Amino acid sequence: MKTFPFSGKLILLSFITALVACQPKKTLEDNGMLYGLASPITLNPDTTILKLEDYITDFSLLENVELPAGLSSIRKGNSLIVTGKLEARIDKLKLISKNATYLIPLLRSDKYQIVLNYKGEANTVQVKGEFNAWNVNQGNFKKNDNEFTTNFHLAAGKYQYVLVVDGKEMRDPNNPDSVENGLGGWNSLLTIQGVEKKEIPVLDTKSFTESKIKLNSSLPITNHLITWENFELENKSENQRELIFEIPEEAKQKQRSHIRAWVANESGISNEILIPLENGNVIANASQLNRKDKHAQVLYFLMVDRFNNGNKINDKPVADKSIHPKANYFGGDLAGITQKIKDGYFKTLGINTIWLSPITQNPEGAYGKYTNPNTTFSGYHGYWPISLQKIDYRFGNENEFKALLAEAHQQNMNVILDYVAHHVHQEHPLVKAKPEWFTSLYLPDGSINTERWDDQRLTTWFDVFLPTLDLSKAEVVNPMTDTAMFWVKNYDLDGFRHDASKHIDLLFWRTLTQKVKQQLKQQPNKSIFQIGETYGSRELVASYVNSGMLDGQFDFNLYDDAVATFARDDMDLNRLANSIEESLNYFGDHHLMGNVTGNQDRARFISYADGSVRFDEDAKRAGWTRNIQIKDTLAYEKLKLLSAFMLVSPGIPVIYYGDEIGMPGGNDPDNRRQMIFENLNQFEQKTIEHTKTFIQLRKNHMALLYGDFNILYQNGQQLVISRKYFDDVVVVAFNKSNVEATITIEKNQLLSSEISSVLPDKTLRLQPYSVQVFTAQK
């Protein structure tokens, strides 16, 4: 062990055995130095920078930091620059205060060094792909004679990429593997083979009593880590294939706390186990959970203007004839949403978290431009704020928003608000009052800095009338995060959906989350959920998700693969199976990523599934130039497969308004049509009943909320998954083909006796385009 006192500005760590002997006595007394579960840190192969402010809320309580064997560190401010290699595959960083020793789980990296090369005449060679967030500036090759090379450290998995040779994109001539990019072209596919899954232990929730919990491992283990909250627990078993540990007495004093566990062998680290406790007792029934349990959420995203008009007095579309009716205000408002909460629409559907599009004041004029048809746009969507605290009068007022929150909470529902921090509209007073707070519209080379999503990720403007805030500056971040906190302090809000997360400096997220934690310490019965929006590689997406920043982000990589898999008959389920395992590897087995059925920036799934919108066309133009309706009712069955998959997978399901009935549409604004509540046809009615059934299935089963995830069977057209939490087991079988399928589940290490018991026969017969569910809940 390596221990050092937490004082001074720069300390080189070394073995100090005398200090180890003088460690304070271990206790499980929580003095508030940390807030929330400490997210695990996967160490890089060379150097890892640990931001302690992601975990610690009160540095005055910190006395020592202790690193495990194999690691060295330099402290710089509140950061640790860690080098070396963990001797064990899983270990912990100890944060020692006067009365307590907290820990942060540390996982050894299993990344491989990958070298790419290109031979040929060229001035510059670059690469962009899923491993560098498609940012060509982070993929420069070095030239040596007539060969160009570059290297990356990557985890096992599959990565799409293209080379950029003298500015021209091309597939890698040294790699014969390719995959369709969904836009009518092809990308090279890099496959990194890791250790076979059968060589890595699988950890299983076996049994529990009032005082003890037993977990089983599929293989002998070499080390383990068990925690209650952020404190270590002792394994009482000497059997190398099980863990037995006591539930601490301190857990009885907390209404909600959590047990976590991992095991490892020489080949790798197991899945994570997460067990919620209520006053020290294992929660065995989902009915014991409440809306503050983040893993139990089912989100519903609605666009306020397009959902329901409850107060026609505030209707005021922009009076500008240049705006096409599709791009103007429809009249939806807060009163209309409250009306639907009272009517029981959300409760009947099974929703327990409503996500509202932005409600801050937007401009009254017309902005932007689109051709064919020629139109400008209003701010009906709410993403052009001219105020960050005032509610747009077209949506309602302060009292109406408070009434909405009160009614939702009365029905045991959360409400989270879409918050725009990246930019403001040019009419916002800050633009004139604080011009130094904004990035420049023009780059040093004279080029315009709009829609530069990758190479100018943190400074780009979304349009010429939307100045970007420079959130790398503390003098900008502090007031902007205070503005976000205004909504928490002045309204009984339950969280945020954060717009354009990847275009905002990490300083903003760390500062905001520190303020959220301090607020929650004052309101212990409150919970705040923060979920972000990032399009990019899983590595980029994951870099914003940890204890000190966001709870989760939307998993658009999984969504894109699910859309292609279920909408297209020529795309097999192996792609989706690989995709969900990639997400688990990057985000964790019990992540809080959003599994979306649709999105306001994508064409509706059902319109891809029925062929109304092609994958290789501009879906936005399709929505403007065609009247897109359902032309093949088989698309409803494909939508049911997509919805079921999102509702049984690890993460937080997110229903985009209208997907519960199968609303069609191209990209925006065609995917933002007026919501339909009445006169549903038979296909829409069956689709919403299917959605209700699977939401209720999820809400009734701990296995779908906290259970492990395993793939029992996969081939091109069928996929069988299992979720297990102690005695609660759910097996779900998908058949995406147009014919009946008969499959046989072979016995393997994942097929435990509990899972076997729920299958009436190891041979399953699946109807075309169907999903079957098998459960056993004692």
Side-chain angles (χ1 to χ4, degrees):
M1 293 290 183
K2 299 177 183 179
T3 308
F4 63 97
F6 207 78
S7 60
K9 293 185 177 179
L10 191 65
I11 300 175
L12 178 63
L13 301 187
S14 60
F15 283 101
I16 308 176
T17 55
L19 286 178
V20 175
C22 299
Q23 290 180 34
K25 182 180 177 181
K26 286 184 182 180
T27 75
L28 302 185
E29 178 185 341
D30 189 351
N31 60 20
M33 187 172 74
L34 273 67
Y35 184 90
L37 292 178
S39 55
I41 298 171
T42 300
L43 299 173
N44 295 322
D46 42 20
T47 302
T48 304
I49 299 176
L50 306 188
K51 297 284 189 178
L52 293 180
E53 64 263 39
D54 286 346
Y55 301 90
I56 297 172
T57 58
D58 188 347
F59 277 90
S60 69
L61 298 173
L62 180 63
E63 296 183 348
N64 290 309
V65 174
E66 187 175 292
L67 285 168
L71 300 181
S72 297
S73 175
I74 294 175
R75 179 197 168 194
K76 195 170 184 179
N78 288 330
S79 297
L80 296 181
I81 303 172
V82 178
T83 56
K85 183 178 181 180
L86 278 177
E87 291 186 1
R89 281 197 168 270
I90 183 166
D91 217 315
K92 62 268 182 185
L93 171 74
K94 293 184 179 180
L95 303 175
I96 302 170
S97 64
K98 183 176 181 180
N99 298 317
T101 298
Y102 299 87
L103 64 85
I104 301 173
L106 299 178
L107 311 179
R108 189 201 295 174
S109 171
D110 281 324
K111 290 185 176 181
Y112 301 83
Q113 185 177 36
I114 303 299
V115 177
L116 300 177
N117 64 75
Y118 176 82
K119 290 183 179 181
E121 293 295 330
N123 293 315
T124 62
V125 179
Q126 299 167 295
V127 63
K128 63 178 183 178
E130 291 180 310
F131 42 72
N132 66 355
W134 298 97
N135 186 347
V136 70
N137 293 325
Q138 294 182 5
N140 294 313
F141 282 59
K142 292 182 179 179
K143 186 176 183 180
N144 184 13
D145 295 329
N146 200 36
E147 184 177 17
F148 295 81
T149 61
T150 190
N151 66 81
F152 297 90
H153 284 98
L154 301 175
K158 295 179 182 292
Y159 301 89
Q160 296 184 41
Y161 70 100
V162 293
L163 299 185
V164 182
V165 180
D166 290 338
K168 183 179 179 181
E169 293 185 10
M170 61 182 291
R171 279 183 275 176
D172 186 350
N174 295 321
N175 183 357
D177 294 335
S178 300
V179 63
E180 288 186 71
N181 62 13
L183 301 172
W186 293 79
N187 295 330
S188 291
L189 183 66
L190 173 65
T191 300
I192 303 173
Q193 297 290 351
V195 177
E196 287 192 53
K197 284 187 64 177
K198 65 181 181 180
E199 303 297 329
I200 300 173
V202 175
L203 196 55
D204 172 58
T205 46
K206 187 62 178 176
S207 62
F208 64 90
T209 65
E210 289 185 357
S211 60
K212 292 183 180 180
I213 296 174
K214 180 180 179 180
L215 309 178
N216 281 0
S217 172
S218 62
L219 296 170
I221 61 178
T222 55
N223 70 303
H224 66 270
L225 182 63
I226 313 167
T227 69
W228 170 74
E229 295 297 273
N230 297 308
F231 301 102
E232 187 170 10
L233 300 182
E234 181 183 355
N235 178 27
K236 301 291 186 179
S237 175
E238 296 182 0
N239 187 331
Q240 290 188 332
R241 296 183 66 154
E242 70 178 16
L243 301 178
I244 297 176
F245 51 92
E246 296 177 354
I247 300 172
E249 285 294 314
E250 290 84 349
K252 295 179 180 179
Q253 307 306 314
K254 283 182 171 283
Q255 181 181 9
R256 181 72 78 250
S257 60
H258 298 85
I259 298 281
R260 293 185 292 175
W262 299 260
V263 298
N265 62 8
E266 293 302 322
S267 296
I269 302 170
S270 74
N271 55 301
E272 175 192 352
I273 294 295
L274 178 65
I275 304 171
L277 307 178
E278 184 168 73
N279 298 121
N281 296 306
V282 171
I283 293 180
N285 195 307
S287 64
Q288 298 173 258
L289 302 172
N290 57 55
R291 65 183 178 89
K292 297 172 189 173
D293 291 298
K294 295 177 180 179
H295 288 85
Q297 295 180 103
V298 179
L299 267 66
Y300 186 96
F301 170 41
L302 60 86
M303 189 153 282
V304 175
D305 178 63
R306 304 298 168 94
F307 194 66
N308 189 41
N309 191 341
N311 181 8
K312 295 186 181 298
I313 295 175
N314 61 26
D315 291 1
K316 189 180 179 182
V318 176
D320 190 317
K321 292 182 179 180
S322 70
I323 302 176
H324 190 284
K326 276 188 178 183
N328 213 331
Y329 286 85
F330 281 16
D333 50 31
L334 299 174
I337 298 165
T338 304
Q339 183 183 92
K340 284 301 172 184
I341 297 174
K342 289 181 176 180
D343 288 350
Y345 183 79
F346 298 103
K347 187 173 184 179
T348 302
L349 189 58
I351 301 301
N352 58 17
T353 300
I354 301 171
W355 154 26
L356 305 177
S357 58
I359 62 173
T360 51
Q361 186 66 50
N362 271 233
E364 296 184 339
Y367 293 88
K369 187 176 182 180
Y370 191 82
T371 57
N372 191 20
N374 292 318
T375 184
T376 55
F377 298 85
S378 72
Y380 71 91
H381 42 67
Y383 291 98
W384 299 346
I386 64 171
S387 170
L388 296 174
Q389 294 183 349
K390 182 182 177 182
I391 294 174
D392 196 314
Y393 66 87
R394 290 162 291 203
F395 295 152
N397 55 44
E398 179 178 329
N399 290 334
E400 287 176 314
F401 187 40
K402 288 182 176 179
L404 185 157
L405 292 167
E407 185 62 36
H409 293 162
Q410 178 68 27
Q411 296 195 29
N412 199 29
M413 296 178 198
N414 300 309
V415 178
I416 67 173
L417 184 63
D418 210 320
Y419 185 75
V420 182
H422 171 266
H423 60 262
V424 296
H425 188 272
Q426 65 185 25
E427 292 184 13
H428 196 292
L430 278 176
V431 177
K432 289 184 178 180
K434 297 285 185 180
E436 70 277 10
W437 281 19
F438 298 89
T439 65
S440 175
L441 179 58
Y442 292 92
L443 297 171
D445 64 4
S447 62
I448 192 167
N449 188 13
T450 56
E451 299 186 357
R452 303 282 286 267
W453 309 128
D454 297 319
D455 65 322
Q456 298 295 326
R457 179 165 61 87
L458 297 176
T459 64
T460 194
W461 290 31
F462 283 23
D463 211 325
V464 294
F465 55 88
L466 297 174
T468 293
L469 286 151
D470 188 347
L471 293 169
S472 67
K473 297 177 179 179
E475 63 268 28
V476 182
V477 167
N478 281 325
M480 287 302 295
T481 50
D482 284 343
T483 301
M485 292 304 298
F486 163 86
W487 294 93
V488 174
K489 293 178 179 180
N490 288 271
Y491 300 96
D492 196 8
L493 195 65
D494 303 298
F496 297 106
R497 178 269 188 183
H498 290 293
D499 187 54
S501 304
K502 78 170 185 179
H503 299 292
I504 297 173
D505 195 275
L506 298 182
L507 175 63
F508 176 88
W509 303 120
R510 289 193 161 98
T511 304
L512 176 59
T513 301
Q514 278 282 352
K515 292 180 179 181
V516 167
K517 288 181 179 179
Q518 295 298 341
Q519 183 70 24
L520 292 177
K521 288 172 77 171
Q522 300 174 30
Q523 296 178 274
N525 293 323
K526 190 173 181 62
S527 177
I528 295 292
F529 179 61
Q530 296 192 89
I531 188 166
E533 175 208 32
T534 291
Y535 294 94
S537 69
R538 284 182 171 91
E539 186 136 2
L540 175 66
V541 173
S543 69
Y544 287 81
V545 179
N546 65 33
S547 301
M549 292 190 280
L550 301 175
D551 292 301
Q553 298 215 67
F554 300 108
D555 193 347
F556 291 119
N557 290 290
L558 180 67
Y559 172 70
D560 288 342
D561 288 329
V563 169
T565 298
F566 289 121
R568 295 175 52 176
D569 292 334
D570 62 339
M571 194 68 67
D572 68 44
L573 277 160
N574 292 325
R575 173 175 174 174
L576 185 57
N578 292 334
S579 185
I580 193 168
E581 294 202 327
E582 287 279 324
S583 289
L584 294 174
N585 288 338
Y586 273 96
F587 309 132
D589 296 284
H590 298 282
H591 63 70
L592 293 167
M593 302 293 289
N595 296 329
V596 300
T597 63
N599 179 264
Q600 77 269 37
D601 296 320
R602 304 288 183 92
R604 293 277 185 175
F605 167 83
I606 201 166
S607 295
Y608 280 122
D610 78 342
S612 296
V613 177
R614 301 190 315 273
F615 281 91
D616 62 349
E617 72 172 323
D618 183 340
K620 182 173 289 191
R621 187 164 298 282
W624 278 113
T625 58
R626 300 200 297 270
N627 179 22
I628 297 174
Q629 300 296 333
I630 305 297
K631 67 179 186 180
D632 184 353
T633 57
L634 183 61
Y636 287 103
E637 303 308 314
K638 294 181 177 181
L639 176 59
K640 291 176 187 177
L641 289 173
L642 175 82
S643 299
F645 181 81
M646 295 304 183
L647 283 159
V648 301
S649 296
I652 307 299
V654 184
I655 308 296
Y656 180 43
Y657 87 98
D659 282 346
E660 70 269 35
I661 61 173
M663 281 176 59
N667 206 338
D668 78 276
D670 196 40
N671 59 356
R672 305 171 181 181
R673 301 180 186 183
Q674 181 65 44
M675 181 58 187
I676 301 171
F677 298 102
E678 298 175 346
N679 301 317
L680 302 182
N681 64 42
Q682 60 173 318
F683 300 103
E684 292 168 332
Q685 190 61 49
K686 288 180 179 179
T687 301
I688 195 172
E689 292 304 323
H690 170 93
T691 305
K692 291 176 184 177
T693 297
F694 272 84
I695 291 176
Q696 201 58 47
L697 177 76
R698 182 180 184 86
K699 294 175 70 174
N700 286 346
H701 285 275
M702 289 295 291
L704 295 177
L705 305 174
Y706 292 94
D708 55 25
F709 173 91
N710 286 301
I711 294 175
L712 300 182
Y713 178 93
Q714 71 180 87
N715 65 19
Q717 300 296 306
Q718 290 81 40
L719 176 70
V720 183
I721 67 169
S722 70
R723 305 289 308 274
K724 179 181 179 298
Y725 176 86
F726 294 105
D727 288 341
D728 186 22
V729 179
V730 178
V731 175
V732 187
F734 296 87
N735 178 20
K736 63 156 289 184
S737 73
N738 60 1
V739 297
E740 181 180 291
T742 300
I743 62 175
T744 301
I745 309 294
E746 302 292 340
K747 182 174 177 61
N748 56 53
Q749 66 166 350
L750 304 179
L751 199 54
S752 66
S753 59
E754 291 89 352
I755 295 175
S756 297
S757 68
V758 310
L759 296 175
D761 193 334
K762 301 303 178 290
T763 298
L764 307 180
R765 288 182 174 81
L766 307 176
Q767 296 301 308
Y769 299 111
S770 70
V771 53
Q772 288 192 38
V773 179
F774 306 89
T775 67
Q777 191 174 33
K778 294 183 181 179

Coordinates of all heavy atoms in Angstrom, one line a residue, residues 204-216 242-245 247 275 282 724-727 754:
D204 N -23.2 -14.1 -9.7 CA -24.6 -14.4 -9.7 C -25.2 -14.2 -8.3 O -24.6 -14.6 -7.3 CB -24.9 -15.9 -10.2 CG -26.3 -16.3 -10.0 OD1 -27.2 -15.7 -10.6 OD2 -26.5 -17.3 -9.3
T205 N -26.4 -13.5 -8.2 CA -27.1 -13.3 -6.9 C -27.7 -14.7 -6.6 O -28.7 -15.1 -7.2 CB -28.1 -12.2 -7.1 OG1 -28.9 -12.4 -8.3 CG2 -27.4 -10.8 -7.1
K206 N -27.3 -15.3 -5.5 CA -27.8 -16.7 -5.2 C -28.9 -16.6 -4.2 O -30.0 -17.1 -4.4 CB -26.6 -17.5 -4.7 CG -27.0 -19.0 -4.5 CD -27.4 -19.6 -5.8 CE -27.8 -21.1 -5.6 NZ -28.3 -21.7 -6.9
S207 N -28.6 -16.1 -3.0 CA -29.6 -16.1 -1.9 C -29.3 -15.0 -0.9 O -28.2 -14.4 -0.9 CB -29.6 -17.5 -1.2 OG -28.3 -17.8 -0.7
F208 N -30.2 -14.8 0.0 CA -30.0 -13.8 1.1 C -30.9 -14.2 2.3 O -31.9 -14.9 2.1 CB -30.3 -12.4 0.6 CG -31.8 -12.2 0.2 CD1 -32.7 -11.7 1.2 CD2 -32.2 -12.3 -1.1 CE1 -34.0 -11.5 0.8 CE2 -33.5 -12.1 -1.5 CZ -34.4 -11.7 -0.5
T209 N -30.5 -13.7 3.4 CA -31.3 -13.8 4.7 C -31.4 -12.4 5.2 O -31.0 -11.4 4.5 CB -30.6 -14.7 5.7 OG1 -29.4 -14.1 6.1 CG2 -30.4 -16.1 5.1
E210 N -31.9 -12.2 6.4 CA -32.0 -10.9 7.0 C -30.7 -10.3 7.3 O -30.5 -9.1 7.4 CB -32.8 -11.0 8.3 CG -34.3 -11.2 8.1 CD -35.1 -11.2 9.4 OE1 -34.4 -11.0 10.5 OE2 -36.3 -11.3 9.4
S211 N -29.6 -11.1 7.4 CA -28.3 -10.6 7.8 C -27.2 -10.9 6.8 O -26.1 -10.3 6.9 CB -27.9 -11.2 9.2 OG -27.9 -12.6 9.1
K212 N -27.4 -11.9 5.9 CA -26.3 -12.3 5.0 C -26.8 -12.4 3.5 O -28.0 -12.6 3.3 CB -25.7 -13.6 5.4 CG -25.0 -13.6 6.7 CD -24.4 -15.0 7.0 CE -23.6 -14.9 8.4 NZ -23.0 -16.3 8.7
I213 N -25.8 -12.2 2.7 CA -26.0 -12.4 1.2 C -25.0 -13.3 0.7 O -23.8 -13.3 1.1 CB -25.9 -11.0 0.5 CG1 -27.0 -10.1 1.0 CG2 -26.0 -11.2 -1.0 CD1 -26.9 -8.6 0.4
K214 N -25.4 -14.2 -0.3 CA -24.5 -15.1 -0.9 C -24.5 -14.9 -2.4 O -25.6 -14.8 -3.0 CB -24.9 -16.6 -0.6 CG -24.1 -17.6 -1.2 CD -24.5 -19.0 -0.9 CE -23.7 -20.1 -1.6 NZ -24.1 -21.5 -1.2
L215 N -23.3 -14.8 -3.0 CA -23.2 -14.7 -4.4 C -22.3 -15.8 -4.9 O -21.4 -16.3 -4.2 CB -22.5 -13.4 -4.8 CG -23.1 -12.1 -4.2 CD1 -22.2 -10.9 -4.6 CD2 -24.5 -11.9 -4.6
N216 N -22.6 -16.3 -6.1 CA -21.9 -17.4 -6.7 C -21.1 -17.0 -7.9 O -21.6 -16.1 -8.7 CB -22.8 -18.6 -7.1 CG -23.2 -19.5 -6.0 OD1 -22.8 -19.2 -4.8 ND2 -24.0 -20.5 -6.2
E242 N -17.5 -18.5 -4.4 CA -18.6 -17.8 -3.8 C -18.2 -16.7 -2.9 O -17.0 -16.7 -2.5 CB -19.5 -18.8 -3.0 CG -18.8 -19.3 -1.7 CD -19.7 -20.3 -0.9 OE1 -20.7 -20.8 -1.5 OE2 -19.4 -20.5 0.2
L243 N -19.1 -15.8 -2.7 CA -18.9 -14.7 -1.7 C -20.0 -14.8 -0.7 O -21.2 -14.9 -1.1 CB -18.9 -13.3 -2.4 CG -17.9 -13.0 -3.5 CD1 -18.1 -11.6 -4.0 CD2 -16.5 -13.2 -2.9
I244 N -19.7 -14.7 0.6 CA -20.7 -14.7 1.6 C -20.4 -13.5 2.5 O -19.2 -13.4 3.0 CB -20.8 -16.0 2.4 CG1 -21.3 -17.1 1.5 CG2 -21.8 -15.8 3.6 CD1 -21.3 -18.5 2.2
F245 N -21.3 -12.6 2.7 CA -20.9 -11.4 3.5 C -22.2 -10.9 4.3 O -23.3 -11.2 3.9 CB -20.4 -10.3 2.7 CG -21.2 -9.9 1.5 CD1 -22.2 -9.0 1.5 CD2 -21.1 -10.6 0.3 CE1 -23.0 -8.7 0.5 CE2 -21.8 -10.3 -0.8 CZ -22.8 -9.3 -0.7
I247 N -24.7 -8.1 6.0 CA -25.3 -6.8 5.8 C -24.9 -6.0 7.0 O -25.3 -6.4 8.1 CB -26.8 -6.9 5.6 CG1 -27.1 -7.7 4.3 CG2 -27.3 -5.4 5.4 CD1 -28.6 -8.0 4.2
I275 N -27.2 -4.4 -5.5 CA -28.4 -4.9 -4.7 C -28.9 -3.7 -3.8 O -28.1 -3.2 -2.9 CB -28.0 -6.0 -3.7 CG1 -27.4 -7.2 -4.6 CG2 -29.2 -6.5 -2.9 CD1 -26.8 -8.3 -3.7
V282 N -32.7 -6.6 2.1 CA -32.6 -6.8 0.6 C -34.0 -6.5 0.0 O -35.0 -7.1 0.4 CB -32.1 -8.2 0.2 CG1 -32.2 -8.4 -1.3 CG2 -30.6 -8.3 0.6
K724 N -31.5 -11.8 -14.4 CA -31.7 -12.6 -13.1 C -31.3 -11.7 -11.9 O -30.2 -11.1 -11.9 CB -30.9 -13.9 -13.1 CG -31.0 -14.7 -11.9 CD -30.2 -16.0 -11.9 CE -30.3 -16.8 -10.6 NZ -29.8 -16.0 -9.4
Y725 N -32.1 -11.7 -10.9 CA -31.9 -11.1 -9.6 C -32.4 -12.0 -8.5 O -33.6 -12.1 -8.3 CB -32.6 -9.7 -9.6 CG -32.5 -9.0 -8.3 CD1 -31.4 -8.2 -8.0 CD2 -33.5 -9.1 -7.3 CE1 -31.3 -7.5 -6.8 CE2 -33.4 -8.4 -6.1 CZ -32.3 -7.6 -5.9 OH -32.2 -6.9 -4.7
F726 N -31.5 -12.8 -7.9 CA -31.9 -13.8 -6.9 C -32.9 -14.7 -7.6 O -32.6 -15.3 -8.7 CB -32.4 -13.2 -5.6 CG -31.3 -12.5 -4.9 CD1 -31.3 -11.1 -4.9 CD2 -30.3 -13.1 -4.2 CE1 -30.3 -10.4 -4.2 CE2 -29.3 -12.5 -3.5 CZ -29.3 -11.1 -3.5
D727 N -34.1 -14.9 -7.0 CA -35.1 -15.9 -7.6 C -35.9 -15.3 -8.7 O -36.6 -16.0 -9.4 CB -36.1 -16.3 -6.5 CG -35.4 -17.2 -5.5 OD1 -34.4 -17.8 -5.8 OD2 -36.0 -17.4 -4.4
E754 N -31.9 -21.7 -12.0 CA -33.0 -20.7 -11.9 C -33.4 -20.3 -13.3 O -34.6 -20.2 -13.6 CB -32.6 -19.5 -11.1 CG -32.4 -19.7 -9.6 CD -30.9 -20.1 -9.3 OE1 -30.1 -20.4 -10.3 OE2 -30.6 -20.2 -8.1

